Amino acid sequence: AAPRPGCFRAGELALAEVRRKRNTTLKLLCRLAAEAVLTSPGGVLPHRDIIGQLPGQVLRTSGGTRLLLRRPSLEEYVLLMPRGPTIAYPKDISAILMMMDIHPGDTVLETGSGSGAMSLFLSRAVGPKGRVLSYEIRDDHHSLAKKNYRHWRSAWEIGHMDEWPDNVEFILKDISTAAADMKSVTLDAVVLDMLNPQCALPVVHPSLKQGGVCAVYLANITQVIDLLDRIRSCKLPFLCERIIEVTHRSWSVLPAKIKHWKSSQMVETQENIEEPPQN
Protein backbone atom coordinates (compact mmCIF):
# COMPACT_ATOMS: atom_id res chain seq x y z
CA ALA A 1 0.00 0.00 0.00
CA ALA A 2 1.15 3.51 -0.73
CA PRO A 3 2.15 5.56 2.34
CA ARG A 4 -0.41 8.04 3.65
CA PRO A 5 0.07 11.69 2.73
CA GLY A 6 2.47 13.29 5.21
CA CYS A 7 3.95 9.97 6.36
CA PHE A 8 7.66 9.37 6.67
CA ARG A 9 9.25 8.09 3.46
CA ALA A 10 12.54 6.34 2.75
CA GLY A 11 15.24 8.86 1.91
CA GLU A 12 13.98 11.76 4.01
CA LEU A 13 15.29 13.04 7.34
CA ALA A 14 13.74 12.10 10.67
CA LEU A 15 14.42 13.59 14.08
CA ALA A 16 14.09 11.42 17.21
CA GLU A 17 13.74 13.06 20.62
CA VAL A 18 14.67 11.16 23.79
CA ARG A 19 13.72 12.57 27.19
CA ARG A 20 16.61 12.45 29.64
CA LYS A 21 17.21 13.32 33.27
CA ARG A 22 16.81 16.88 34.57
CA ASN A 23 14.26 17.73 31.91
CA THR A 24 16.77 17.59 29.03
CA THR A 25 16.23 16.19 25.55
CA LEU A 26 18.61 14.27 23.30
CA LYS A 27 17.99 14.80 19.58
CA LEU A 28 19.07 12.23 17.00
CA LEU A 29 19.02 12.97 13.26
CA CYS A 30 18.89 10.18 10.68
CA ARG A 31 18.17 9.64 6.99
CA LEU A 32 15.57 6.90 6.67
CA ALA A 33 16.48 3.71 4.82
CA ALA A 34 14.49 0.45 4.87
CA GLU A 35 17.39 -1.72 6.10
CA ALA A 36 18.93 0.74 8.57
CA VAL A 37 18.39 1.14 12.32
CA LEU A 38 18.33 4.16 14.62
CA THR A 39 20.65 3.70 17.59
CA SER A 40 19.90 5.52 20.84
CA PRO A 41 21.13 5.17 24.45
CA GLY A 42 17.89 3.29 25.19
CA GLY A 43 18.13 0.74 22.40
CA VAL A 44 17.63 0.51 18.64
CA LEU A 45 14.65 1.21 16.41
CA PRO A 46 14.51 -0.14 12.83
CA HIS A 47 13.88 2.51 10.22
CA ARG A 48 11.16 0.30 8.70
CA ASP A 49 9.13 0.91 11.87
CA ILE A 50 9.35 4.66 11.23
CA ILE A 51 8.66 4.66 7.49
CA GLY A 52 4.92 4.98 6.89
CA GLN A 53 4.24 6.57 10.28
CA LEU A 54 2.97 10.11 10.67
CA PRO A 55 5.31 12.65 12.31
CA GLY A 56 4.50 13.21 15.97
CA GLN A 57 4.20 9.50 16.82
CA VAL A 58 5.93 8.04 19.88
CA LEU A 59 7.65 4.71 19.20
CA ARG A 60 9.57 2.42 21.54
CA THR A 61 13.10 1.14 21.03
CA SER A 62 14.23 -2.43 21.67
CA GLY A 63 15.02 -1.36 25.25
CA GLY A 64 11.59 0.19 25.82
CA THR A 65 12.72 3.83 25.56
CA ARG A 66 10.10 6.17 24.12
CA LEU A 67 11.16 8.19 21.05
CA LEU A 68 9.19 11.11 19.63
CA LEU A 69 9.63 11.09 15.84
CA ARG A 70 9.14 14.15 13.65
CA ARG A 71 10.65 16.03 10.73
CA PRO A 72 13.51 18.38 11.65
CA SER A 73 13.24 22.12 11.16
CA LEU A 74 15.97 23.91 9.25
CA GLU A 75 17.31 25.24 12.55
CA GLU A 76 17.63 21.71 13.95
CA TYR A 77 19.20 20.41 10.77
CA VAL A 78 22.02 22.97 10.74
CA LEU A 79 22.74 22.27 14.43
CA LEU A 80 22.92 18.49 13.89
CA MET A 81 24.38 18.20 10.38
CA PRO A 82 28.06 17.27 9.86
CA ARG A 83 30.35 20.21 10.57
CA GLY A 84 33.82 21.28 9.60
CA PRO A 85 34.26 24.84 10.86
CA THR A 86 32.08 26.38 13.54
CA ILE A 87 28.73 27.32 12.04
CA ALA A 88 26.90 30.62 12.23
CA TYR A 89 24.20 29.76 14.77
CA PRO A 90 20.51 30.14 13.88
CA LYS A 91 19.97 32.87 16.50
CA ASP A 92 22.67 34.97 14.82
CA ILE A 93 21.52 34.12 11.29
CA SER A 94 17.98 35.26 12.14
CA ALA A 95 19.29 38.64 13.31
CA ILE A 96 21.51 38.98 10.23
CA LEU A 97 18.63 38.21 7.85
CA MET A 98 16.44 40.77 9.61
CA MET A 99 19.09 43.49 9.40
CA MET A 100 19.86 42.74 5.74
CA ASP A 101 16.13 42.97 4.90
CA ILE A 102 16.39 40.27 2.23
CA HIS A 103 13.40 39.74 -0.05
CA PRO A 104 12.42 36.91 -2.40
CA GLY A 105 14.20 37.44 -5.70
CA ASP A 106 17.27 39.17 -4.21
CA THR A 107 20.86 38.37 -5.18
CA VAL A 108 23.06 37.91 -2.12
CA LEU A 109 26.81 37.30 -1.80
CA GLU A 110 28.15 35.14 1.03
CA THR A 111 31.83 34.74 1.80
CA GLY A 112 32.83 31.75 3.93
CA SER A 113 30.53 28.85 3.00
CA GLY A 114 31.78 26.92 6.04
CA SER A 115 29.44 23.99 6.68
CA GLY A 116 26.58 25.54 4.70
CA ALA A 117 24.36 26.85 7.52
CA MET A 118 24.14 30.44 6.31
CA SER A 119 23.77 29.24 2.70
CA LEU A 120 20.64 27.25 3.58
CA PHE A 121 18.92 30.13 5.35
CA LEU A 122 19.83 32.54 2.55
CA SER A 123 18.49 30.05 0.02
CA ARG A 124 15.10 30.02 1.75
CA ALA A 125 15.05 33.81 2.17
CA VAL A 126 15.69 34.71 -1.51
CA GLY A 127 13.36 31.98 -2.82
CA PRO A 128 13.30 30.27 -6.21
CA LYS A 129 13.65 33.56 -8.11
CA GLY A 130 16.63 34.71 -6.02
CA ARG A 131 20.30 33.82 -6.15
CA VAL A 132 23.02 33.17 -3.57
CA LEU A 133 26.73 33.32 -4.46
CA SER A 134 28.73 31.49 -1.79
CA TYR A 135 32.53 31.86 -1.89
CA GLU A 136 34.86 29.58 0.05
CA ILE A 137 38.65 29.44 0.00
CA ARG A 138 39.09 25.95 1.52
CA ASP A 139 38.33 22.90 -0.55
CA ASP A 140 37.17 20.74 2.39
CA HIS A 141 34.74 23.40 3.62
CA HIS A 142 33.50 23.99 0.07
CA SER A 143 32.74 20.27 -0.39
CA LEU A 144 31.04 19.94 3.00
CA ALA A 145 28.79 22.97 2.43
CA LYS A 146 27.68 21.60 -0.95
CA LYS A 147 27.03 18.16 0.57
CA ASN A 148 24.93 19.50 3.46
CA TYR A 149 22.94 21.71 1.10
CA ARG A 150 22.32 18.83 -1.31
CA HIS A 151 21.22 16.48 1.48
CA TRP A 152 18.71 18.99 2.85
CA ARG A 153 17.25 19.67 -0.60
CA SER A 154 16.80 15.99 -1.44
CA ALA A 155 15.22 15.16 1.94
CA TRP A 156 12.90 18.17 1.68
CA GLU A 157 11.60 17.10 -1.72
CA ILE A 158 10.83 13.58 -0.47
CA GLY A 159 9.18 14.62 2.79
CA HIS A 160 7.28 17.69 1.61
CA MET A 161 6.42 16.63 -1.95
CA ASP A 162 7.80 20.01 -3.02
CA GLU A 163 11.07 21.27 -4.46
CA TRP A 164 13.52 23.27 -2.38
CA PRO A 165 14.97 26.06 -4.57
CA ASP A 166 18.25 25.22 -6.31
CA ASN A 167 19.53 28.78 -6.01
CA VAL A 168 22.95 28.57 -4.34
CA GLU A 169 26.14 28.65 -6.42
CA PHE A 170 29.09 27.39 -4.38
CA ILE A 171 32.35 28.88 -5.66
CA LEU A 172 35.79 27.62 -4.59
CA LYS A 173 37.76 30.85 -4.74
CA ASP A 174 39.33 33.54 -2.59
CA ILE A 175 36.91 36.47 -2.65
CA SER A 176 39.83 38.93 -2.60
CA THR A 177 40.79 37.69 -6.09
CA ALA A 178 37.24 37.75 -7.49
CA ALA A 179 37.08 41.38 -8.62
CA ALA A 180 36.56 40.32 -12.23
CA ASP A 181 33.62 38.08 -11.22
CA MET A 182 31.93 40.95 -9.40
CA LYS A 183 31.79 43.22 -12.46
CA SER A 184 28.95 41.23 -14.02
CA VAL A 185 26.66 41.05 -10.97
CA THR A 186 24.54 43.47 -8.94
CA LEU A 187 24.19 42.53 -5.28
CA ASP A 188 21.22 43.39 -3.08
CA ALA A 189 23.09 42.39 0.09
CA VAL A 190 26.40 40.93 1.26
CA VAL A 191 27.21 38.81 4.31
CA LEU A 192 30.84 38.23 5.28
CA ASP A 193 31.72 35.33 7.59
CA MET A 194 35.50 35.17 7.36
CA LEU A 195 38.60 35.83 9.41
CA ASN A 196 39.60 39.07 7.63
CA PRO A 197 36.46 40.63 6.12
CA GLN A 198 38.33 43.88 5.48
CA CYS A 199 40.07 42.11 2.59
CA ALA A 200 36.72 41.47 0.87
CA LEU A 201 35.17 44.93 1.21
CA PRO A 202 37.13 46.66 -1.62
CA VAL A 203 36.12 43.78 -3.93
CA VAL A 204 32.40 43.57 -3.15
CA HIS A 205 31.44 47.23 -2.62
CA PRO A 206 31.42 48.20 -6.36
CA SER A 207 28.79 45.50 -6.99
CA LEU A 208 26.64 46.26 -3.96
CA LYS A 209 23.65 48.37 -4.96
CA GLN A 210 23.31 51.89 -3.57
CA GLY A 211 21.90 51.60 -0.05
CA GLY A 212 22.55 47.86 0.10
CA VAL A 213 23.48 46.21 3.39
CA CYS A 214 26.74 44.41 4.16
CA ALA A 215 26.50 42.30 7.34
CA VAL A 216 29.72 41.04 8.93
CA TYR A 217 29.74 38.10 11.34
CA LEU A 218 32.68 38.35 13.76
CA ALA A 219 33.72 36.43 16.86
CA ASN A 220 35.13 39.20 19.06
CA ILE A 221 35.34 42.98 19.46
CA THR A 222 39.02 43.10 18.42
CA GLN A 223 38.02 41.97 14.94
CA VAL A 224 35.31 44.64 14.88
CA ILE A 225 37.85 47.36 15.70
CA ASP A 226 40.25 46.12 13.00
CA LEU A 227 37.39 46.16 10.46
CA LEU A 228 36.33 49.72 11.34
CA ASP A 229 39.96 50.94 11.19
CA ARG A 230 40.32 49.46 7.71
CA ILE A 231 37.10 51.11 6.50
CA ARG A 232 38.35 54.50 7.75
CA SER A 233 41.91 54.18 6.45
CA CYS A 234 40.82 53.00 3.00
CA LYS A 235 37.95 55.52 2.90
CA LEU A 236 35.51 52.84 1.82
CA PRO A 237 31.93 54.06 1.24
CA PHE A 238 30.41 52.15 4.16
CA LEU A 239 28.56 53.44 7.20
CA CYS A 240 28.60 51.39 10.43
CA GLU A 241 24.96 51.37 11.45
CA ARG A 242 25.16 49.16 14.51
CA ILE A 243 27.15 46.46 16.29
CA ILE A 244 25.12 43.89 18.22
CA GLU A 245 25.56 40.68 20.17
CA VAL A 246 22.63 38.26 20.09
CA THR A 247 21.88 36.46 23.36
CA HIS A 248 19.62 33.46 23.73
CA ARG A 249 18.24 32.28 27.07
CA SER A 250 16.39 28.99 27.52
CA TRP A 251 13.81 28.60 30.30
CA SER A 252 12.64 25.46 32.04
CA VAL A 253 9.12 25.75 33.50
CA LEU A 254 8.14 22.96 35.93
CA PRO A 255 5.43 22.47 38.58
CA ALA A 256 6.52 24.00 41.88
CA LYS A 257 7.26 21.54 44.69
CA ILE A 258 7.55 22.05 48.47
CA LYS A 259 8.68 19.92 51.38
CA HIS A 260 6.01 19.25 54.04
CA TRP A 261 7.52 20.12 57.40
CA LYS A 262 10.33 17.71 58.22
CA SER A 263 9.17 15.08 55.78
CA SER A 264 11.37 14.46 52.77
CA GLN A 265 8.34 13.76 50.59
CA MET A 266 8.01 16.21 47.65
CA VAL A 267 4.48 17.46 46.99
CA GLU A 268 3.29 19.46 43.98
CA THR A 269 1.67 22.70 45.19
CA GLN A 270 -0.89 22.67 42.39
CA GLU A 271 -2.41 19.48 43.77
CA ASN A 272 -2.26 20.45 47.46
CA ILE A 273 -3.00 24.14 47.55
CA GLU A 274 -6.50 23.55 49.04
CA GLU A 275 -5.54 20.75 51.41
CA PRO A 276 -4.72 21.31 55.11
CA PRO A 277 -1.23 20.23 56.31
CA GLN A 278 -0.97 16.57 57.24
CA ASN A 279 0.48 15.44 60.59
Side-chain angles (χ1 to χ4, degrees):
R4 291 173 290 173
C7 295
F8 283 115
R9 300 168 183 265
E12 71 168 305
L13 295 169
L15 184 72
E17 294 188 12
V18 187
R19 300 293 295 177
R20 309 185 79 178
K21 294 180 179 179
R22 298 180 182 177
N23 202 42
T24 60
T25 303
L26 173 66
K27 295 184 178 182
L28 304 171
L29 184 69
C30 66
R31 182 177 291 272
L32 297 176
E35 303 302 322
V37 296
L38 172 64
T39 303
S40 75
V44 299
L45 178 65
H47 285 194
R48 63 176 177 270
D49 293 347
I50 304 174
I51 296 172
Q53 298 287 340
L54 287 169
Q57 301 293 316
V58 176
L59 304 179
R60 291 188 179 272
T61 67
S62 58
T65 300
R66 293 161 56 90
L67 300 181
L68 172 63
L69 278 300
R70 58 183 180 84
R71 291 188 175 96
S73 65
L74 182 56
E75 175 191 8
E76 290 164 329
Y77 175 72
V78 300
L79 291 174
L80 296 171
M81 69 185 184
R83 298 186 197 176
T86 302
I87 64 168
Y89 284 90
K91 67 180 181 66
D92 299 318
I93 295 175
S94 298
I96 290 172
L97 292 178
M98 180 180 64
M99 290 189 294
M100 294 171 72
D101 196 27
I102 296 175
H103 297 82
D106 282 354
T107 298
V108 181
L109 172 74
E110 172 197 17
T111 65
S113 304
S115 299
M118 180 73 74
S119 306
L120 281 162
F121 279 95
L122 288 173
S123 172
R124 183 168 68 177
V126 302
K129 295 183 179 180
R131 183 184 180 197
V132 179
L133 304 175
S134 183
Y135 279 79
E136 175 58 57
I137 192 173
R138 288 186 51 167
D139 182 60
D140 53 342
H141 295 176
H142 171 76
S143 299
L144 180 59
K146 287 201 301 183
K147 182 179 179 181
N148 285 334
Y149 177 74
R150 186 174 62 251
H151 282 181
W152 174 259
R153 283 193 69 238
S154 62
W156 176 273
E157 292 173 11
I158 296 172
H160 293 79
M161 308 292 289
D162 191 14
E163 185 177 358
W164 183 273
D166 186 12
N167 55 5
V168 180
E169 182 181 352
F170 291 97
I171 303 168
L172 181 60
K173 192 173 188 178
D174 186 348
I175 187 62
S176 63
T177 65
D181 301 348
M182 295 293 102
K183 292 180 180 180
S184 60
V185 63
T186 299
L187 302 171
D188 295 288
V190 174
V191 56
L192 307 178
D193 182 7
M194 53 190 296
L195 188 60
N196 296 305
Q198 51 266 35
C199 299
L201 289 178
V203 177
V204 302
H205 89 77
S207 299
L208 183 60
K209 73 177 185 180
Q210 190 72 19
V213 177
C214 176
V216 186
Y217 187 55
L218 295 170
N220 56 65
I221 194 63
T222 303
Q223 290 177 291
V224 175
I225 294 171
D226 291 342
L227 174 62
L228 296 179
D229 285 343
R230 180 64 179 270
I231 291 174
R232 293 191 189 98
S233 62
C234 295
K235 298 181 179 180
L236 295 174
F238 285 100
L239 169 69
C240 179
E241 293 189 54
R242 51 179 163 163
I243 303 167
I244 67 169
E245 178 181 1
V246 181
T247 58
H248 187 97
R249 178 182 296 172
S250 297
W251 285 69
S252 179
V253 180
L254 302 171
K257 295 184 178 181
I258 59 173
K259 284 188 177 181
H260 268 203
W261 304 101
K262 296 182 180 181
S263 170
S264 61
Q265 182 181 3
M266 304 298 289
V267 183
E268 292 188 8
T269 57
Q270 289 181 338
E271 296 178 358
N272 295 275
I273 193 169
E274 302 276 341
E275 297 179 8
Q278 301 294 321
N279 293 328

